[in-house]
Amino acid sequence: MIDASTRGRARPRWRGRVRRAAAACAVGIMAAAGLVALPGTAHAASTLGDAAAERGRYFGTAVAANRLGESDYTATLNREFNSVTAENEMKWDALEPSRGSFSYGNADRIVNHARAQGMDVRGHTLVWHSQLPGWVSGLGANDLRSAMNHHITQVMQHWRGQIHSWDVVNEAFQDGSSGARRPSPFQDRLGNGFIEEAFRTARAADPNAKLCYNDYNTDAINAKSNAVYAMVRDFKQRGVPIDCVGFQSHFNSGNPVPGDFRQNLQRFADLGVDVQITELDIEGSGTTQANHYRTVVEACLAVSRCTGITVWGVTDKYSWRSGGTPLLFDGNYNKKPAYDAVLTALGGTGGGDPGPGPGPGPGACSVTYEQTDRWGDRFNGRVTVRAGSTAISGWRVDVTVRPPQKISATWNGSPTWDSSGNVMTMRPNGNGSLQPGASTSFGFTVMANGEWSAPALGTCTTS
Ligand code: G3I
């Protein structure tokens, strides 16, 4: 939850979903609005998702549907993460095992779980050479083209409005120095244009989803990432729809976190796309592993368009390379040193719940934000205004939306707008008096227009 107070006091500790949703707005918002947290105003979040949200980012994990019945797994997932990726359940072989026959059950379990918890969902992945059902590989060019477009359209429309980012095309480039496209049924039969076609089809299928290209061994500036970079630059120049690039970030001693990781993320961001760390895991243990994780998190935080981090699993015991113990929780769901490093890098603390703070001081007020509802095209936000230790007679707070977002409705307040239409200044509707510690709230509906970040919340000003 975001808290913008006029005084440097600790703010209440909010729990659970409300806290997570609210936090999601906070820092990115404050950064966007040019606001700076006063020393002592921000509490330190105690989970990965909350801490990331306070930095305007998500912190996600890959999830396996068949683990959701394990209580420790689900408890850890629910407590720590605010975004999920289906580890295997949205791949082509899982969703369309035979032509035209779609099987959404396992993936739906993950999406439904995530939505019930207020988590975001990343879609992984629509067009990939691996985990393809046999029938796809046997098709001729025309048939393959229509099968690819049909698959993209059906799958994206099934979860239309429910998935914030899709890996539209995964791993289409060769390793090594060639910079060439990887051989695959798509590449071999449709040529280079299959990637562009997939992205255009994806945009039409769910115009609100962010469309990502996702790959591995592209984390450094190297021949492979240069080839991806050239493709993204070309797409942006020609208006081919692409919104984000995913960097899988599977690291180990033979493939360590590169020294130019941040610079590489930044050069892609400078092309006008978001960047996301999509499958992070780092083999190792102890302090060494923790330091590598810290480096990755710091790199993402240093790049304003790095919108989130996903680790490739909850616990070492179910990792695709469990022998390398590459994740943040061990096989018994204990937090590893890497967990502490990530949480600390995000600005959080494992120091426990400090409990309700004293709130703003005399003559002051504070504001917190939470998302209360979300639909396919819009969400509702609620801002709670609380008086400090003395009564106040009025208040004012700015809410700044992120274009192309638009506020379409407000309630329990009297809004005015700046010339851009992006900054709403809300004042009380009538008597704005609040007794010491008392609170009131106002609400608004934001048409997302594809941008689901929380609006930026300014500080509370008394009058
Ligand atoms: O579910 C079946 C099970 O019924 C069967 O008994 C068993 C026997 O092999 O296989 C099980 O399926 C395995 C599946 O993971 C679930 O555990 C598949 O064989 C296995 O191939 C599959 O591996 C997945 C791999 O992608 C496939 O390429 C990993 O879990 C998954 O973590 C991994 O994820 C990929 C990303 O999608 C793309 N980037 C690289 C990343 C790591 O390889």
Side-chain angles (χ1 to χ4, degrees), residues 76 82 93 147-148 205 242 339 359 384 427:
T76 307
N82 57 11
D93 62 351
M148 179 184 83
I242 185 167
Y339 172 95
T384 299
R427 293 181 172 82

Side-chain angles (χ1 to χ4, degrees), residues 103-460:
S103 166
Y104 293 111
N106 285 332
D108 274 340
R109 284 181 62 201
I110 293 174
V111 173
N112 292 341
H113 182 93
R115 285 171 62 79
Q117 291 292 319
M119 300 169 176
D120 284 331
V121 182
R122 289 195 85 258
H124 175 80
T125 175
L126 293 163
V127 182
W128 186 29
H129 67 275
S130 183
Q131 287 177 272
L132 267 183
W135 65 267
V136 176
S137 310
L139 300 178
N142 288 341
D143 237 2
L144 180 62
R145 183 186 309 284
S146 64
M148 179 184 83
N149 289 328
H150 185 66
H151 181 80
I152 293 169
T153 302
Q154 292 299 306
V155 171
M156 289 188 74
Q157 288 187 345
H158 179 75
W159 288 296
R160 191 171 162 131
Q162 300 179 23
I163 292 192
H164 74 75
S165 303
W166 266 107
D167 291 333
V168 178
V169 175
N170 194 44
E171 302 176 6
F173 285 81
Q174 297 256 46
D175 289 325
S177 59
S178 70
R181 308 289 168 102
R182 175 197 295 276
S184 73
F186 308 104
Q187 181 67 35
D188 299 348
R189 267 157 243 160
L190 306 180
N192 287 353
F194 90 86
I195 302 180
E196 173 173 348
E197 182 159 350
F199 276 84
R200 290 190 187 280
T201 302
R203 180 66 94 222
D206 184 354
N208 289 330
K210 300 262 189 196
L211 307 182
C212 305
Y213 176 79
N214 189 52
D215 214 328
Y216 67 93
N217 284 354
T218 50
D219 314 296
I221 297 175
N222 57 31
K224 188 174 179 181
S225 68
N226 286 346
V228 176
Y229 180 87
M231 179 188 74
V232 175
R233 185 177 54 193
D234 171 58
F235 278 16
K236 294 299 286 183
Q237 285 170 348
R238 292 190 298 112
V240 179
I242 185 167
D243 307 304
C244 37
V245 176
F247 297 82
Q248 294 186 9
S249 306
H250 294 293
F251 297 121
N252 57 26
S253 57
N255 178 36
V257 181
D260 56 3
F261 187 51
R262 182 188 63 74
Q263 290 93 323
N264 192 42
L265 296 178
Q266 187 65 60
R267 72 171 176 151
F268 277 90
D270 290 344
L271 290 175
V273 290
D274 289 344
V275 295
Q276 301 173 351
I277 295 169
T278 52
E279 303 181 15
L280 177 63
D281 55 10
I282 307 175
E283 292 187 339
S285 62
T287 307
T288 305
Q289 183 183 47
N291 287 338
H292 291 319
Y293 264 102
R294 176 183 301 111
T295 300
V296 171
V297 172
E298 288 175 349
C300 180
L301 292 177
V303 175
S304 60
R305 290 199 74 146
C306 182
T307 56
I309 298 173
T310 299
V311 290
W312 205 237
V314 175
T315 161
D316 281 340
K317 71 176 168 177
Y318 298 140
S319 164
W320 69 295
R321 45 183 190 173
S322 57
T325 61
L327 295 171
L328 302 178
F329 294 89
D330 71 16
N332 294 316
Y333 299 95
N334 296 311
K335 296 170 181 173
K336 296 164 61 178
Y339 172 95
D340 296 328
V342 169
L343 184 62
T344 302
L346 290 170
T349 175
D353 190 331
C365 56
S366 67
V367 284
T368 54
Y369 168 88
E370 62 192 283
Q371 185 185 100
T372 54
D373 290 291
R374 176 171 167 162
W375 299 272
D377 59 349
R378 71 194 72 185
F379 60 89
N380 282 352
R382 176 167 60 212
V383 172
T384 299
V385 178
R386 187 160 70 95
S389 54
T390 60
I392 59 173
S393 56
W395 49 266
R396 184 181 82 235
V397 58
D398 287 350
V399 176
T400 305
V401 295
R402 300 167 184 276
Q405 292 176 341
K406 292 285 178 208
I407 292 182
S408 61
T410 69
W411 51 94
N412 293 344
S414 178
T416 55
W417 305 85
D418 79 336
S419 57
S420 73
N422 297 325
V423 183
M424 174 180 73
T425 300
M426 188 65 95
R427 293 181 172 82
N429 206 354
N431 182 359
S433 301
L434 287 173
Q435 293 304 304
S439 65
T440 185
S441 62
F442 62 87
F444 50 89
T445 298
V446 178
M447 302 305 301
N449 294 319
E451 174 56 68
W452 291 96
S453 309
L457 190 62
T459 52
C460 187

